[in-house]
Amino acid sequence: MAPLLELRDVTKVYGGGGLLRRREPVVALDNFSLTIDDGRATITAVAGESGSGKTTLAHLALGHVAPTSGAVLYRGRALDAMSRAERLQFRREVQPVFQDPFAAFNPFYRIDHVLTMPIERFRLAASAREGRRLIVEALEMVGLRPQETLGRFPHQLSGGQRQRVMVARALLCRPKVILADEPVSMVDASLRATILASLQRLNRELGISVVYITHDLTTAYQISDDIVVLYRGSVAEAGSAEQVIQKPKHPYTRLLVSSIPLPDRGRRWTGEDLPDVEAPAARRSAGCKFAPRCPAAMDVCWAKPPPLFRPDDHRVASCFLYPDSPVLDSNDVARVFAGAPVATAGAAQ
Amino acid sequence: MGETARQREGETGLLSPPSAPADAPPRPLAPSSARRLRGSGRWSGSLVVGLVILLAVLLLSVVGGWLVDPKDGIVGAVTPSQPPSARFLLGTDSQGRDVLTMLVLGTPQTIRIGLTAGVVGVAIGLVLGLLSGYFGGWFDGTVRVLSDALMTVPGIAILLIIAINVGHMTPFLMGLTVASLSWMYPTRSIRAQVLSIRERPYIAVARANGASEAEIVFREVMPNLLPFIAASFVGATSGAMLASVGLEALGLGTNDVHTLGTMIFWAQKYSAVLRGQWWWFGPPIAMIATIFIGLFFVSAGVDRFANPRLRQQT
Amino acid sequence: MRPNDAVGPAAEPVLQVEDFAVYYDTPRGPVKAVDGVTFALRAGERLGLIGESGSGKTTMGTALLRLNRPPARIVRGRVLLNERDLLAVPERELARMRLGEIALVPQGAMNALNPVMRIRDQIEDGLLAHGQLPKRELAERVAHALARVGLPPELADRYPHELSGGQKQRVAIAIATVLSPRVIVADEPTSALDVVVQRQVMLTLGRVQEGLGAAVILIGHDMGLIAQFADTVGVLYAGRLVEHGPIDDVLAAPRHPYTRMLVDSLPTLEGKRELRGIPGLPPPLLNLPPGCPFAPRCPYAFDRCVGETPLPQVVAPGQRVACHLYPSHAELPPPPAAAGARLG
């Protein structure tokens, strides 16, 4: 079955070469591959800190920027080679939810504007009345009361309400994939659960796949089936969310997980294992990008970049700590996701 | 997506508030745009004062226009060089024209020149600024080079050359002349705003909603430019008025239509200052000053209107 | 971090806040951002004040040092720092007490560093405001302040843009603690930082605080962070302190319904479960009706809650709750039937 959304060997480089001063190019995403299939509706988390490339990934997947090399394909067609009709279908079927609930609304219009526009553009309703019914249904599905929400300006709603309107907008389009880029990081803690629960509901009841981009591993753990952990544009570890987060194998993932401030007095932070993450690297690594900060770095780590080792059926870790594990035969990490069929390394899919 | 049992029971889906105690008190429906504008704290003292001054000037011209006889403004119509009296409230000039008549007829002409240039300048600025800011590329590069280059050239030199070559000058042509140099600042200012708006998430949301690029430019970007258009308009109008008065004072203005600048020209040409005929050169200068003071207050107030961060914090 | 034992050394309160209230004057009436907050802070104690949007926590941080600007106005209360009321002392003495005895690490401090001044100059700024010092001693103090937050002395000659986010935040802590204050108020000190850097900065803050024997008020919205760092927690809702007590007790057995629901809404790594938020919205702080501000969203609400504002009462040593369920209950009962049908 052709994948729905595919990022194939995508690399994105920013900067490099100013007129008077050579600017150091930044590799935001490095030879990254991921597929989202049509058959199974999954929630995939893409986790990383600032500089990991997760935001770049969102922009690429939504077609806002073109990759420096590699391709972004939708239903087998490259984004820049699509016809107008195909492009419109892509726009409808891959919907974003952005981080900032205030800036996502045009302050000039009432919030109804973002809900009526897709109905008109994508011809989702045959009449105005049906359009209105779709809007009311979508709002109710995310737990909002239409009579308290419609007709208002963005500044009259709270951050949580605005974000829920954005989720309603996304689901109104009847998408196949929702790309949520840090959807709850600017929302109060008590509302986060509600919004994330509505994303889960969309996934389970409407069969919409969700790509959940975040820096928060606990929410990623709670709602995702699979997770990809990025470090400086490369995959550090990926696979079933349960395994990767509960028993991380890559030193970077371990560092991330141990740094989570859990509201749990039984799991306290310790200070010993903390490398100085901000000290400038004494030397640059030609191999693994994490080597300068890795407590377990060996000579080989500095020399060549580690491939995606597969220590478990549903996990890959690009780390030389697992040299005896088989290597994944492609760099599409979706192969090891929780619902993917297990095949031995080297076997064609 | 049919109704579930929970929805039928009146619940609206995920974890809606319990129905018994009142929820957050229902917020009033949003007021219309006009009322929203009025009560929003955007109207500062400056803006009101400025608008009142300009309104007074316009009123004077309109009402005065009904009350004076244009024939009194023709050379030789009345006794020349008379100081102000009951009959000639502002006296007469050495050519035998009634100063009050000239003032009343000339003020709207000067304003008209400024407005013409303001409208043309902002219209050009809007189109160029929108297109170059939103689409970038070679068009943007060209517009930027052109506007930057023209902004650095001494405007008066260009205007002189143009004005000298206009055969028969009319207020409209004067307006176009000064408009030729009033578009650059609005272009740059609007372009800068468009660059900033283009990166806002709501533009990406509009794209996700299936909007075409043209629709985004007109429906999403442009409405948010209105305050900046207003501010640019005031700036362009003032600049143009000043430029036109300058050209007219040099003698390049209209021959047959009175304007404030031409009054100054004639006064200077016939040595009104040396002759102590203050009632001739005084009133046009005072009127120009008044208009500029009004425009100054309006521009200060419009700045607050346009820039939400300058408004009073609540 | 610190061993999980009894709270810090001496039991003498170093800071006492009594009935503190800060209102915003708006054309439509006063917005009661902080409305009668009372608590005491012992030397060496780490208090976490948790609140969401509209709780008043940010207003509190600046107002405690009288750094609020109009239209925010301190309406009543006393803030006693070693027996002297910060709200009543004259400006000169207040200036001396700020930084010298009580310091603020404001929200977004790392963005508040002056971009055209070297780090050294910004630290010296605070020192010089409290008296002239010979040049050599100034340099020593700067190096010492940087070392205390784990930064190398060379950093003193750099500009803020040359530093990373975490380094800038640590500089902000260095500036705030250069005169060894007794109380440090940190308002969301790590909000824009990555989780690994956040841990490092919080550990740094903890080390600095222990070294100085100072007390810390950590203001934030992240219960996890407060759980990792603080000894006691104060829960703010609609400008009031609705619960206050040792963090272990409050987390294990919250007494106030809001605290309970807040804790329940937090995602953990303890296994997947249904995510529950708190339905409804925090109340607007303008013209708040009498009664408990949480009543509209509270599954336990009854008649008394709507008309009568609950006052904080002591329910156990060191634990206070502002809720009408007490003292008739010993602890929070299970949620009433109506709410139970909703969950699950």
Side-chain angles (χ1 to χ4, degrees), chain B residues 164-210:
Chain B
I164 287 169
N165 285 294
V166 170
H168 174 75
M169 186 61 91
T170 67
F172 180 63
L173 285 177
M174 177 59 86
L176 285 185
T177 307
V178 293
S180 66
L181 288 186
S182 70
W183 61 271
M184 291 94 70
Y185 203 78
T187 302
R188 291 296 259 152
S189 149
I190 288 173
R191 175 183 172 275
Q193 271 312 302
V194 171
L195 283 179
S196 154
I197 291 175
R198 194 180 65 172
E199 304 306 315
R200 308 248 170 98
Y202 60 79
I203 300 292
V205 169
R207 219 171 263 137
N209 271 341

Side-chain angles (χ1 to χ4, degrees), chain A residues 50 188 222 224 265 273 278, chain C residues 53 164 194 199 227 268 272:
Chain A
S50 48
D188 277 334
Q222 284 294 331
S224 320
R265 296 286 284 182
D273 62 328
E278 290 173 317
Chain C
S53 330
S164 68
D194 286 334
R199 176 169 151 215
T268 63
K272 298 201 182 192

Side-chain angles (χ1 to χ4, degrees), chain B residues 6 18 26 28 37 74 122 128 136 141 149 176 211 264 290 300 304 308-309:
Chain B
R6 280 158 70 195
L37 225 48
I74 301 175
V122 167
L128 291 182
L176 285 185
I264 292 177
T290 307
R304 214 170 84 168
R309 260 174 275 166

Side-chain angles (χ1 to χ4, degrees), chain C:
Chain C
M1 295 191 84
R2 303 169 64 226
N4 192 3
D5 58 13
V7 182
E12 266 312 308
V14 67
L15 184 74
Q16 260 172 294
V17 176
E18 290 171 12
D19 196 28
F20 190 45
V22 183
Y23 295 175
Y24 282 86
D25 295 318
T26 74
R28 309 224 310 270
V31 171
K32 300 183 181 176
V34 179
D35 199 11
V37 169
T38 302
F39 63 86
L41 196 65
R42 288 177 301 270
E45 178 183 342
R46 297 180 185 178
L47 169 68
L49 284 179
I50 185 159
E52 300 182 300
S53 330
S55 61
K57 63 184 193 301
T58 315
T59 310
M60 176 106 84
T62 44
L64 277 176
L65 286 90
R66 248 164 85 183
L67 284 170
N68 52 304
R69 322 237 334 233
R73 182 173 52 99
I74 300 177
V75 168
R76 63 177 190 271
R78 298 202 301 169
V79 176
L80 296 169
L81 182 60
N82 295 319
E83 312 300 310
R84 274 163 310 159
D85 184 4
L86 279 177
L87 303 181
V89 296
E91 271 297 326
R92 270 192 63 185
E93 186 173 349
L94 182 65
R96 211 177 36 76
M97 289 173 82
R98 285 187 192 136
L99 207 71
E101 297 185 44
I102 179 168
L104 174 70
V105 181
Q107 201 171 29
M110 51 190 195
N111 295 322
L113 291 176
N114 192 325
V116 297
M117 280 170 74
R118 290 182 208 269
I119 302 298
R120 166 190 310 287
D121 298 319
Q122 305 199 44
I123 302 178
E124 286 181 0
D125 217 16
L127 283 168
L128 291 172
H130 281 76
Q132 283 301 322
L133 284 172
K135 210 155 168 198
R136 186 143 59 116
E137 193 176 335
L138 267 181
E140 267 171 29
R141 297 265 222 148
V142 166
H144 183 63
L146 286 175
R148 195 152 54 191
V149 294
L151 290 172
E154 304 84 73
L155 228 69
D157 295 312
R158 304 247 189 92
Y159 287 94
H161 68 264
E162 300 178 79
L163 272 53
S164 68
Q167 285 174 326
K168 282 190 279 194
Q169 198 61 29
R170 286 191 277 167
V171 166
I173 295 174
I175 294 175
T177 54
V178 72
L179 287 172
S180 308
R182 307 172 71 129
V183 179
I184 302 168
V185 179
D187 186 357
E188 306 245 30
T190 57
S191 54
L193 300 176
D194 286 334
V195 71
V196 182
V197 177
Q198 172 178 261
R199 176 169 151 215
Q200 185 170 46
V201 169
M202 290 311 297
L203 289 175
T204 305
L205 181 62
R207 272 198 302 271
V208 168
Q209 173 251 341
E210 272 174 37
L212 293 174
V216 174
I217 301 179
L218 175 69
I219 298 175
H221 61 275
D222 186 345
M223 188 59 110
L225 199 61
I226 288 179
Q228 293 292 331
F229 180 81
D231 308 311
T232 33
V233 63
V235 181
L236 287 170
Y237 188 82
R240 297 171 204 183
L241 204 58
V242 297
E243 186 158 0
H244 180 217
I247 182 78
D248 291 298
D249 298 329
V250 172
L251 271 182
R255 290 202 149 89
H256 196 281
Y258 172 64
T259 317
R260 162 99 262 160
M261 294 171 84
L262 189 62
V263 168
D264 283 347
S265 77
L266 298 174
T268 63
L269 296 182
E270 293 298 307
K272 298 201 182 192
R273 51 166 202 176
E274 171 131 3
L275 294 170
R276 307 175 216 152
I278 305 182
L281 292 171
L285 297 175
L286 181 69
N287 302 325
L288 202 58
C292 178
F294 189 60
R297 305 164 79 186
C298 184
Y300 301 85
F302 53 98
D303 314 336
R304 199 172 161 209
C305 305
V306 178
E308 190 187 326
T309 310
L311 295 172
Q313 41 182 310
V314 179
V315 289
Q319 293 185 54
R320 288 181 296 142
V321 184
C323 179
H324 288 310
L325 285 172
Y326 303 92
S328 33
H329 293 85
E331 53 178 34
L332 196 65
R342 256 190 305 118
L343 305 168

Side-chain angles (χ1 to χ4, degrees), chain A residues 162-244:
Chain A
R162 280 183 237 132
Q163 202 65 325
R164 283 192 273 181
V165 171
M166 272 298 145
V167 176
R169 183 206 69 80
L171 83 92
L172 195 60
C173 302
R174 298 288 182 273
K176 294 277 188 189
V177 183
I178 286 185
L179 223 112
D181 186 0
E182 306 256 25
V184 292
S185 60
M186 288 175 79
V187 170
D188 277 334
S190 60
L191 271 164
R192 279 181 200 173
T194 314
I195 294 176
L196 291 175
S198 61
L199 284 176
Q200 265 184 315
R201 187 175 169 187
L202 295 183
N203 172 254
R204 286 193 212 123
E205 291 182 23
L206 298 181
I208 300 176
S209 285
V210 179
V211 177
Y212 174 54
I213 298 176
T214 182
H215 64 274
D216 179 357
L217 286 178
T218 37
T219 52
Y221 172 73
Q222 284 294 331
I223 71 166
S224 320
D225 305 306
D226 314 293
I227 184 168
V228 179
V229 178
L230 291 177
Y231 181 77
R232 299 242 174 123
S234 301
V235 175
E237 191 164 356
S240 121
E242 182 74 42
Q243 287 187 33
V244 169

Side-chain angles (χ1 to χ4, degrees), chain B residues 198-264:
Chain B
R198 194 180 65 172
E199 304 306 315
R200 308 248 170 98
Y202 60 79
I203 300 292
V205 169
R207 219 171 263 137
N209 271 341
S212 64
E213 296 298 288
E215 195 181 344
I216 292 178
V217 166
F218 287 110
R219 280 187 77 187
E220 302 288 329
V221 178
M222 200 150 80
N224 287 300
L225 289 175
L226 290 176
F228 298 94
I229 295 173
S232 297
F233 178 69
V234 172
T237 304
S238 338
M241 238 185 269
L242 195 63
S244 73
V245 167
L247 286 178
E248 287 159 358
L250 289 172
L252 295 166
T254 59
N255 273 325
D256 38 13
V257 179
H258 289 299
T259 68
L260 295 173
T262 55
M263 281 176 77
I264 292 177

